[in-house]
Each structure stands twice: as C-alpha cells, then as structure tokens.
Amino acid sequence: MIHKITYINKLIAFFAFLISLNISAQETLKIYLSGKDFKNPVQWDFMCTDGNNSKVWSTINVPSNWELQGFGTYTYGRWYKELNEKEPSKEEGFYKYKFSIPSSYKGKNITIVFGGAMTDTDVKINGKSAGETHQGGFYEFKFDIASLVNYGAENLLEVHVSKHSSNNTVNNAERKTDWWLFGGIYRPVWLEVSPKSYIEHVAVDAKMDGSLTADLNLVNLPKNASIEANIAPVGDNKTYPTISIPLNQKENFQTIHAKWSDVNTWDPESPNLYTLTLTLKTKNNILHTYKTKIGFRTLEFLKKDGIYVNGKKIIMKGINRHTIWPESGRSTDKEISILDVNLLKDMNINAVRFHYPADTHFLEVCDSLGLFVLNEVAGWQNGYDTKTGTKLIKETVQRDVNHPSVIIWDHGNEGGWNYDIDHVFHEYDPQKRIVIHPWADFNGWDAHHYPTYLTGMHRFNNGENVFFPTEFMHGTYDNGIGAGLEDFWKRYKESPLFAGGFIWAMLDEAVLRTDWTGEQKYDSKGSLAADGVLGPHREKEGSFYTVKEVWSPIQFEPKLITSKFDGTFLITNEYIYSNLNTCKLEYRVLKAANNVLYTNDKAEVIASNTIHIESVEPGETRKMHFEVPSNFFDGDYLEITAHDKHGREIYTWSWPIHRAPYFANKLLAKETSTKTATVTKLEDHILLSSEKLRIHLNAKTGEITSIENNQGNVPFINGPKPIGMKAKVENVSIEQNKDGAVCFFNYFGGIHFHSIKWTLFNDGRLKMEMIILKDAGRNDGFDGSAFEDKISKLGITFDYPEVGVKSMKWFGNGPYHVWKNRIKGTTFGLWEKDYNNTITGESFENLVYPEFKGYHANLIGANLKTEQGNIKFFSENDKLFLRLFTPDLPKNGFPGSHPQPEFPEGNISFMYEIPAMRSFKPLEHQGPESQPTNIRIKSGDDGIPMVLWFDFRDN
C-alpha cells in the first residue's frame, strides 16, 4: 500500500482549514510531505537495490539516511585509501508516497522542495518527471509541479535516489572524502503553495546604520504594485514605521531600499534579530507576504588589515562541525542544533565552519544564539564541474544569504574548488561576502591548514595577508585541540593580521551500525572519524575545558596567592564588543576538613561575594579587586566564576591559598602511638616496622619489595625507580630516633648523595625525602654545568595493580587528566571520580568522563580507593604530577594516529616533567610548551627536592 499523510478526506479538509487561516495574510503555505525531522518522521514506501534489506518493497522513515534504517551498505569516504576498498557502495533507493491537493489550489504556484537527498535525485509526479536530475547531496532543491498535480484528487510522488552520482565530479567532491557516505532523503520534503503574484525570493543586505537593501525576485507582478517593508525585533515589542516602496511592473528582479533608525545590531555577543516583513500590494489589496529573520550588521573585508563586523576587527575562535547524530546520520533536528550551538558557546567559541551547507535550523540557531559562520560549498579535495558547481553555489547562496551569522563563503576545501565559478557567489549575494579557498593563501586571505608553530616564510605572523587557518589543532583521539592551543593562540594574536582559527573538529563522528551484532555498536572507522572535542552524543572530552579557558573572553594574568594577597588581579578583556562590566563575577573561599581525604565530606564555602568590575573595554587590561574577607586564609582555595550578560558561565578559575607543605601537614592523619618504630638492616634488605606497618626495602636497589599492614599485604612495590635519569645505590645507612625509624639510601647518578631518606613514624606514617639533580661534577664557570637535553619525563615510579581500583579522591588540579601542553582547563580543588577504562575516541558504548587514568596536575593529596582497601599519598612540593596507571590504547586506530605518547614503566608515578601531546603533526612543529625540557645543573645548586608522604595503614 502506498503511504499517505492521512486519509484523503481528512487531508483535504485540513488543507482547506489552512487556506482559511491564510487568506488575509496570503503567505506561502509550507506543507510537509515528510516528517519535519528524523524524530517525527512520516513513512513512505521504499525499496533499496542492494545491501541490507534490499530488493523488497517495505517502508522507511522520511527524512532519514537509509543505512541507519537498516538498508543498503555503510561506506566511509576513505574507502579508496586507508580502507583499501575497490569502490564505495552504490545502491539506489526508490520511494513512493501519495498526497492530495485541494481544488482551491488551482491557479496557485506549487513547488515541491527537498531539503537534501544523497545523491542523484529524480522526481516524478503522477508518472511525469518534475525536472532534470538533481546532483549534489547537501543542497536544497525544488521543482515547479503546478502543472503536474491532480487538483481535488490524489497524487503519486515517486523519488529515485542514487547514492553514487552519475557525475564523477560530484562523487569526487562529496564521496571521495574523509567523512561518512550516506544515502537517502535525509532532510524534509515539503510543498510551497503561493498565490499567483508573489515574492519568490529575497536577498537582504542590512547594515549597522539601519539601512537595508533587498534584491527581490517577483512573479506575475501586476500594475501599480508596491512593497511595504516593516521590521519587528524578535523578543521585543518595540515598533518601527512601515516603509512603502513602488515597484516597476516590467521588472521581475528589482532592488529596494529602506532605512530605520535606532536598530540594535547583530554580533555573536549580542545577536539581535528582526523579522523583516515584505508585503506585496496593489492599493489596499494584499497579494503576498514574505517574512524572513535578519540581523543588522556591516561586513568589511580589508586586505592587509582584517575582517570587520560593525566597525570592529574580529578574531574568530572557531571550530569545524559535521552535521551528524549517531542514530540518524546526517538527518538531525533543531533540538540537536540548539544543543550543539550551546555547547560551542559554552566553550567560548564564536565561529563555526562546515564542509557543506548545514541544516537551515542550525543556521537559525547560529543567528539567534550568536556564532559567526563560514558557509562552505562542498568539495573536500576535488571541485565540481562548472555547470554543476554553478547550480549548487546558487542553491547555497539563495538558501542562506539572509542569515546574519554567515559572514564568509567557502568554496570547497583543500583544492576542492573551481576558479571559474568563484564569481557566482556574488551574483546572488548583495552583501558581497568574501569567497575563500580553505587551506590556500588566496586573493589576500590566508586560510592555511595545520600550520606549524613557526609557519611564517612571508606568511602568517611574518606575512602581509590577513590569516585565519580554517583547520588547525587536529583532535584525533583528543590528542590535539587543547594540547598546544595556548602556544599557537598567543603567537598568532601577536600579529594585527590575525583573524582567528578553526579547530578540527567538534565531534567524534561515530554512527550506529544497524548491520552489526555484538557488543560494539558504534563505528568511527577507527581513528578516521574520532576527531572531536565531543563524543558522538556530545560527551565532553578534556580539551573541551582547555578551549573554554584558553578562549575565555576574560583572561587573568598569572597570580600566586601568598600572605600578601590583597584581592587584586589583572584581567584582560578579549571580547570583541562587550565591556566586562556587563559580566557578573563572584568569588568563593572554600575550606576542607582536615580529614577530608579519609571521609566522604566535601569542601565548604566559608566566604563568598560578588566582584564589582569597573569599565574594562575590549582589548584593555585593568585591575580587578575585591575586599579580602577576614577568614580568607582559613580557606584552602579560592574560586572565581564569571557569567556573561546572558547568564552563560564563561569559566571558573581557582587558586590554592596555601602551599603544598601546609596541605600535607593538614590533610595527613596523625595518630597516637605507644610503640616506637624500628629499623633493621639485614644482608639484602631493610625492614622498617611500626605497630601498624612493615616495609621491606631492597638494600641493593632501594626499591620497596613488600608492605604489610595489620590487614594484610599492600601491593605498592618495585619503586622508587627513576624516570628520565639513572641512579645506582652506593650504600645504605639506618638510624633510630624518638619520632621513628630512618633509612638512608645513597646513590650515584641523577639521585644525589643521601638522596632518599625514608622515615617510618611511630604512628605508621611513611615519609620519603629525595634530592635529585644536585651535583654538576665540576665548577669552572659557564662551562661547568651538567646539561641534559630533551627531557620529556622525569620523576619516580612504583608498581600497583589496577585490578580492584574503585575510585580516587584528591586535592589538586582536576577533574580531567593532563598533558604537558594541556594543563589549562583543569582547576585546583577537591575532586573525586570513579574508575573507568574509557578510551577517548573509541569507547562509544560506554563513554565515561573524565577519564580515570593518566597524568594529573599539581597533586597535593590523594586517596586511591580499592576493593582491598585505601592507600593515600601526599606531596610537600607544588607542581608535582601524579601518573595514575596507563590509559589503554585504541584497538582500531590506523597507523600514524598517535593516540598518546609512551608512558613510563610502573603504574603510579610522581613526576616533575610529563610528555606533551602531539596534534596531527610532530611535537617539533608545535610551540614551546610542547617541547621537552632540558636540565642544566651547576655546582652549588641545592638540587630538586621531592617530599612525599604515604599512608598505608588502612588496607
């Protein structure tokens, strides 16, 4: 049975009702034949020619990608390369659907519109072709069907969609790519019913001074016709005068002009929108009303200077986004668009780019919430032929021209352009937005992809052209994006020619495999599509918060809180338009109980207040001050949270109020003991023993061989082993004092004389005091230093089994793990997280964030909770990293994906230097914070101390 919207008589009655509602307004009716989105579909009859569930007529949800509905064959666009496939899947889909047209529609203009279908689409109405095959899978297209429909009767719609185009340039542009290749009618299908005389299309240029130019395409214009233009602010009752403009009956294309005073401009920080209403009239007779949302803003593109919006030079903090949802492919809805734009705004991002035109509802949300948009005609690395490309550029510009968020047209990507049709964009765009070729230094605009930190042979910081890399900080397995971002951003901002950059990418593009059985359900094609700062269902990866802090419009100068702290900070306003006095800032002083790491307690706020901000204009750096409360130094750390004028959190910063020795003394539990700890030196080992603890140390290696408490064995062993240095035990000595038992290990090498001192206190607390990198070996001036280059890891390590670990509660930076070049985005405080084995970019069936394992910054104290009991460690040194086990490597990554740098041996490590994470390119191509450090020691240096406390008493 061919599916219909509803029964014929009910449908006709419904249409008649719609007509009655719109007689006076004479607006174009929009009547959906499909569902409005994938969550509210309509079933059509369907048959697929190949792959899953093929060669049999059944039904399918429209809109949808048919693979996600269980039909056809999944294909990823790198079929020709890493996937080593001879050809992509090429199945075709046949759709049928019946609908009715009321008799009253006769004489009106009736158009059928497809929001998007992949890829070649043939449309028939009642067995007759509606027009030539549409080629191009990301574009809205339409056919005039007024002469093909049966009025007052049923009509048959037949659609033939070929997943693989018959046009090789379309396949090369859209389907020989680094993204998923889907098939089907994945965006809505609807009818547009307009009166005989109507406004077919409007292209607007609305300036910041309230002036408006609009190019009109008019159909069947009668004599003495005019346009009445009116604007109404969205979300406001303010009224503006209506302006009447006469029309020339002989011209179907006309340009009108109007101007209103006292308009509010559009920008990403204040996205003020207006509804523009254009009414086509003859005297008092309304022929047609056309409405569109607009924003008043002025674009200026000044070569060798910058991009200006409303007179302000902009810096785009951008990201690249694919249109995708795991359960529906490229078929999405406005709810997802709102989710995504809010997530981008939450990251302090102000711009977005895509590889093809996004859904209209996504652009609507960019308009309303405020994002700059680079709107791209597809062509991943190959361009369309001139005829096809001309048509697709026209479709893109005509659909999206009025969106104030759209400020630049992208013509293809990485070679995917056709120089012969660049001019077509301006033929349909009265705003004359610039046309760029992403990755090229083209026509004065340098969009070079994946630059190195020092890219600059007469380009970027050392060049003449405005530059904004449209792809950088590649994020496979989250191994870029935040890692190294601050270095790149600081360097680029030094140039007045810098206009921003676009991170790759927003999402891990994993999709549900309807053809898979077993535990794995989602497929990102290994490392090929696992590029995002967010997981497939928008789970926040660690770089999310790094971007949020680095791109915060409020930047704090580095500050160390000491006893002299007077409540003063230096802050910089990195907004483009907004004064910081429009933001709300609040401070909180938090204090934790002394035993907080031994309980389930949390830190408590002991003081809080708002912070008054004087005027700080964009680009200014000024002092911010709050009155320090009397109990400030009773607290453990300070938090400051900023919200923008819309109430959105900008960021929460934090600072420890005290240094590490204070916290170690406070947080480590001390107990009363009546027995004195003892130390015994045997032939091959040392025994430290107290009432609650016994520690065996190998006399030749200095490593712990076993620990027992009153409940049993504590498997914290085989350390300390040096990381990034060599050390050999020279001799061992012991001593006894009233506080406990002491063992000294003297070393050759990186760990210096008397370099490790173990003290077992009478109550069972264990202290390790170490001095490293002390002896330069000689003392003869500048040349008398010991130097070691390229140190990426330095510290000590131990073994501890991962099996049975339940969670960790700690004082330090958190909650996400870090790399040397991705510490920002973590904040100092009291944190707790459960054990998980998340592999970022792969564990899509059970993504748990933050990841448990990895490096953690600025360790003060931690309680590692296990099924066998808890172990606790504390540091008397600031800026110490805790290495907590080793994250599992992805199982499905392709060679060259570099998911993470090599971890040191052992399981739990205490380190002063940890490795940086690469971002698509080697670390040598990144900035200074990504480079290994070096060691330079002179005679007389005190060396580097590391003081750790361990509490193994509770097992």
Side-chain angles (χ1 to χ4, degrees):
M1 177 182 177
I2 297 175
H3 278 70
K4 310 171 186 179
I5 295 176
T6 184
Y7 297 107
I8 298 299
N9 56 345
K10 289 185 178 180
L11 186 60
I12 294 174
F14 176 66
F15 283 171
F17 172 70
L18 289 177
I19 294 168
S20 68
L21 292 178
N22 287 275
I23 287 174
S24 59
Q26 289 294 301
E27 293 183 29
T28 296
L29 284 174
K30 186 174 185 179
I31 304 166
Y32 283 92
L33 302 183
S34 71
K36 291 185 178 181
D37 53 57
F38 80 97
K39 293 177 183 173
N40 302 281
V42 170
Q43 287 200 331
W44 291 14
D45 291 313
F46 180 72
M47 190 269 286
C48 185
T49 60
D50 201 3
N52 296 305
N53 298 311
S54 60
K55 298 180 175 62
V56 177
W57 279 96
S58 59
T59 60
I60 193 171
N61 289 339
V62 181
S64 70
N65 285 124
W66 62 54
E67 296 87 349
L68 279 299
Q69 297 290 305
F71 298 97
T73 303
Y74 284 80
T75 300
Y76 192 79
R78 301 281 279 188
W79 54 268
Y80 62 96
K81 197 167 184 180
E82 290 92 344
L83 301 176
N84 198 27
E85 298 171 2
K86 291 183 179 180
E87 62 179 16
S89 56
K90 298 181 178 180
E91 69 269 16
E92 301 171 22
F94 291 87
Y95 298 81
K96 291 182 182 180
Y97 186 71
K98 284 188 175 180
F99 64 98
S100 296
I101 294 291
S103 300
S104 56
Y105 282 13
K106 200 163 188 178
K108 295 182 180 292
N109 295 281
I110 303 177
T111 303
I112 188 168
V113 186
F114 289 77
M118 295 175 168
T119 299
D120 287 1
T121 307
D122 291 287
V123 179
K124 290 182 180 180
I125 303 293
N126 298 322
K128 296 180 181 179
S129 173
E132 66 178 19
T133 301
H134 184 270
Q135 296 180 324
F138 298 102
Y139 308 91
E140 182 177 297
F141 58 96
K142 59 185 67 177
F143 300 100
D144 181 354
I145 61 170
S147 64
L148 301 178
V149 297
N150 298 319
Y151 294 93
E154 194 171 67
N155 294 272
L156 175 61
L157 168 63
E158 297 174 278
V159 186
H160 174 199
V161 179
S162 298
K163 184 175 178 179
H164 196 75
S165 178
S166 63
N167 183 332
N168 283 334
T169 71
V170 172
N171 292 323
N172 289 338
E174 298 181 11
R175 309 189 76 76
K176 198 172 183 181
T177 61
D178 195 0
W179 62 62
W180 284 101
L181 310 182
F182 296 116
I185 303 170
Y186 67 100
R187 288 176 179 162
V189 181
W190 65 91
L191 300 178
E192 291 182 353
V193 182
S194 304
K196 181 179 179 181
S197 298
Y198 75 109
I199 305 166
E200 182 180 29
H201 187 262
V202 176
V204 166
D205 183 10
K207 302 288 192 184
M208 63 182 292
D209 64 356
S211 63
L212 179 142
T213 299
D215 293 339
L216 310 183
N217 291 86
L218 303 163
V219 176
N220 294 321
L221 191 63
K223 293 180 180 180
N224 302 317
S226 64
I227 288 286
E228 285 188 350
N230 182 264
I231 58 171
V234 175
D236 194 341
N237 294 323
K238 185 175 181 179
T239 59
Y240 291 85
T242 297
I243 299 173
S244 183
I245 305 152
L247 296 174
N248 182 351
Q249 181 199 359
K250 297 180 181 180
E251 299 292 335
N252 289 329
F253 177 84
Q254 299 189 41
T255 300
I256 63 171
H257 303 277
K259 188 173 183 179
W260 292 271
S261 60
D262 195 27
V263 299
N264 293 317
T265 57
W266 184 97
D267 64 66
E269 296 163 24
S270 300
N272 297 297
L273 292 175
Y274 289 79
T275 299
L276 171 66
T277 301
L278 299 178
T279 303
L280 180 62
K281 298 181 66 176
T282 56
K283 294 185 179 180
N284 295 322
N285 186 26
I286 296 176
L287 303 177
H288 185 234
T289 300
Y290 184 104
K291 293 183 179 181
T292 185
K293 284 190 173 64
I294 63 169
F296 287 92
R297 50 109 180 95
T298 299
L299 303 178
E300 297 173 276
F301 303 98
L302 305 182
K303 294 181 181 180
K304 303 185 187 302
D305 182 352
I307 299 170
Y308 291 79
V309 179
N310 300 336
K312 302 290 186 181
K313 184 183 283 191
I314 67 169
I315 292 180
M316 294 174 284
K317 300 172 180 177
I319 200 164
N320 289 271
R321 173 189 183 264
H322 273 297
T323 300
I324 198 162
W325 187 255
E327 285 73 31
S328 59
R330 306 242 179 266
S331 191
T332 65
D333 70 342
K334 192 165 187 176
E335 185 179 337
I336 291 172
S337 291
I338 293 170
L339 170 67
D340 282 2
V341 174
N342 272 311
L343 284 165
L344 297 184
K345 297 286 286 188
D346 286 347
M347 268 191 284
N348 293 311
I349 282 172
N350 69 3
V352 64
R353 171 189 176 239
F354 357 92
H355 274 329
Y356 38 78
D359 295 291
T360 298
H361 51 72
F362 185 81
L363 296 180
E364 290 171 351
V365 180
C366 291
D367 294 339
S368 63
L369 293 182
L371 286 177
F372 292 130
V373 170
L374 274 58
N375 201 355
E376 186 159 307
V377 170
W380 185 63
Q381 290 183 341
N382 297 279
Y384 298 105
D385 64 76
T386 296
K387 179 182 176 181
T388 305
T390 297
K391 182 177 181 180
L392 298 179
I393 290 172
K394 177 183 177 181
E395 290 172 351
T396 300
V397 177
Q398 286 197 329
R399 192 197 72 164
D400 298 339
V401 66
N402 293 332
H403 289 283
S405 57
V406 176
I407 63 168
I408 292 173
W409 302 116
D410 292 6
H411 188 181
N413 170 75
E414 297 181 355
W417 46 75
N418 179 341
Y419 290 99
D420 293 339
I421 54 177
D422 278 331
H423 66 91
V424 178
F425 287 92
H426 285 180
E427 291 180 9
Y428 300 98
D429 179 17
Q431 299 179 32
K432 302 299 185 276
R433 301 163 172 96
I434 57 170
V435 177
I436 66 168
H437 291 174
W439 98 340
D441 188 357
F442 170 69
N443 196 27
W445 311 102
D446 192 349
H448 179 59
H449 283 186
Y450 304 107
T452 68
Y453 179 76
L454 293 176
T455 288
M457 182 56 71
H458 202 66
R459 70 189 310 183
F460 274 44
N461 286 59
N462 300 314
E464 298 180 69
N465 289 336
V466 176
F467 65 96
F468 50 102
T470 42
E471 291 180 26
F472 81 134
M473 310 312 297
H474 196 286
T476 303
Y477 295 133
D478 197 25
N479 66 5
I481 300 183
L485 173 63
E486 186 177 21
D487 276 346
F488 278 89
W489 203 250
K490 282 181 177 179
R491 174 167 167 77
Y492 293 159
K493 284 195 304 179
E494 293 173 356
S495 171
L497 296 174
F498 180 51
F502 291 78
I503 289 167
W504 187 269
M506 180 179 176
L507 304 168
D508 290 338
E509 296 105 36
V511 296
L512 177 68
R513 291 298 298 257
T514 59
D515 57 338
W516 282 3
T517 58
E519 291 184 4
Q520 186 177 352
K521 299 182 181 346
Y522 295 97
D523 185 7
S524 66
K525 273 295 172 276
S527 52
L528 296 181
D531 299 339
V533 69
L534 297 166
H537 293 100
R538 285 43 176 179
E539 301 90 345
K540 295 175 183 176
E541 298 174 6
S543 285
F544 179 97
Y545 295 97
T546 307
V547 174
K548 184 178 179 71
E549 181 174 6
V550 173
W551 280 356
S552 165
I554 300 175
Q555 291 291 318
F556 282 78
E557 292 292 312
K559 185 77 172 186
L560 182 68
I561 293 179
T562 69
S563 60
K564 298 293 186 181
F565 178 66
D566 63 355
T568 300
F569 290 89
L570 277 176
I571 60 172
T572 299
N573 181 355
E574 294 196 354
Y575 276 120
I576 301 170
Y577 304 95
S578 302
N579 194 308
L580 290 191
N581 61 16
T582 64
C583 299
K584 179 183 177 181
L585 272 73
E586 180 185 29
Y587 77 80
R588 293 177 299 280
V589 179
L590 292 100
K591 179 179 182 179
N594 292 7
N595 64 346
V596 71
L597 292 179
Y598 294 79
T599 68
N600 294 322
D601 293 346
K602 301 183 184 213
E604 295 183 352
V605 175
I606 62 170
S608 65
N609 211 335
T610 56
I611 301 173
H612 177 69
I613 300 182
E614 301 289 341
S615 174
V616 186
E617 293 287 350
E620 285 188 341
T621 299
R622 296 189 64 176
K623 284 185 178 180
M624 179 193 79
H625 177 265
F626 66 87
E627 291 296 326
V628 178
S630 60
N631 62 346
F632 181 82
F633 289 100
D634 293 338
D636 293 318
Y637 58 101
L638 168 69
E639 288 184 346
I640 295 179
T641 298
H643 290 86
D644 69 14
K645 59 188 173 184
H646 305 291
R648 187 186 302 275
E649 186 199 70
I650 296 171
Y651 196 71
T652 294
W653 300 263
S654 66
W655 297 262
I657 294 174
H658 306 282
R659 304 278 71 78
Y662 169 92
F663 288 115
N665 182 63
K666 170 181 175 171
L667 299 174
L668 175 58
K670 305 172 186 66
E671 299 178 4
T672 302
S673 178
T674 58
K675 294 185 178 180
T676 301
T678 62
V679 57
T680 305
K681 184 177 181 182
L682 304 174
E683 182 177 349
D684 60 352
H685 75 277
I686 309 297
L687 173 62
L688 295 166
S689 181
S690 72
E691 184 178 3
K692 293 190 174 182
L693 203 65
R694 289 157 298 285
I695 298 139
H696 298 263
L697 293 155
N698 187 304
K700 294 182 179 180
T701 65
E703 296 176 12
I704 297 172
T705 58
S706 67
I707 300 174
E708 303 99 31
N709 62 21
N710 293 341
Q711 287 76 42
N713 180 58
V714 181
F716 188 85
I717 57 173
N718 298 333
K721 288 181 180 176
I723 300 170
M725 53 190 172
K726 295 179 180 179
K728 184 179 179 181
V729 173
E730 182 179 15
N731 57 65
V732 184
S733 61
I734 62 174
E735 70 177 39
Q736 197 90 33
N737 60 45
K738 64 183 179 60
D739 295 320
V742 181
C743 175
F744 296 92
F745 281 91
N746 305 322
Y747 291 82
F748 285 122
I751 304 178
H752 186 59
F753 175 71
H754 270 189
S755 52
I756 293 186
K757 173 185 177 182
W758 290 99
T759 303
L760 180 62
F761 287 82
N762 297 333
D763 63 355
R765 290 173 294 138
L766 178 65
K767 185 179 184 181
M768 187 205 80
E769 298 169 88
M770 178 174 72
I771 297 290
I772 60 173
L773 308 178
K774 177 176 171 64
D775 190 1
R778 60 186 187 273
N779 187 15
D780 51 357
F782 179 83
D783 294 329
S785 61
F787 181 79
E788 186 74 27
D789 199 8
K790 296 183 179 178
I791 304 296
S792 62
K793 297 184 283 288
L794 186 74
I796 56 173
T797 189
F798 300 84
D799 285 343
Y800 189 82
E802 189 175 328
V803 175
V805 172
K806 297 190 296 184
S807 65
M808 182 174 75
K809 185 177 185 181
W810 79 103
F811 240 118
N813 280 36
Y816 282 80
H817 69 211
V818 301
W819 306 104
K820 177 182 178 179
N821 55 355
R822 199 195 78 184
I823 295 173
K824 281 208 167 176
T826 62
T827 54
F828 185 87
L830 180 64
W831 303 100
E832 186 162 11
K833 59 184 173 182
D834 292 335
Y835 176 86
N836 63 71
N837 200 28
T838 290
I839 301 174
T840 299
E842 188 167 285
S843 304
F844 302 123
E845 290 70 34
N846 186 33
L847 280 177
V848 179
Y849 288 112
E851 305 99 327
F852 187 77
K853 297 184 279 189
Y855 298 108
H856 295 74
N858 201 15
L859 172 73
I860 295 297
N863 182 357
L864 186 64
K865 302 178 182 181
T866 79
E867 292 176 357
Q868 291 77 35
N870 303 336
I871 64 170
K872 305 167 189 72
F873 16 85
F874 305 84
S875 169
E876 285 196 20
N877 304 101
D878 295 303
K879 299 187 177 180
L880 180 73
F881 294 97
L882 168 68
R883 176 276 194 96
L884 187 64
F885 305 112
T886 301
D888 286 9
L889 291 170
K891 301 175 181 64
N892 302 314
F894 285 92
S897 56
H898 302 287
Q900 65 191 31
E902 184 181 2
F903 274 69
E905 64 177 311
N907 304 96
I908 294 178
S909 311
F910 303 93
M911 304 172 67
Y912 282 133
E913 185 72 16
I914 63 171
M917 173 61 79
R918 56 180 287 154
S919 178
F920 203 45
K921 291 184 176 181
L923 288 173
E924 292 84 353
H925 292 186
Q926 294 181 225
E929 290 304 316
S930 297
Q931 305 312 314
T933 191
N934 58 66
I935 297 168
R936 193 165 184 267
I937 314 164
K938 281 185 171 289
S939 178
D941 287 345
D942 285 343
I944 298 173
M946 183 183 292
V947 180
L948 300 173
W949 290 84
F950 302 90
D951 187 350
F952 299 120
R953 292 171 292 187
D954 172 22
N955 195 35

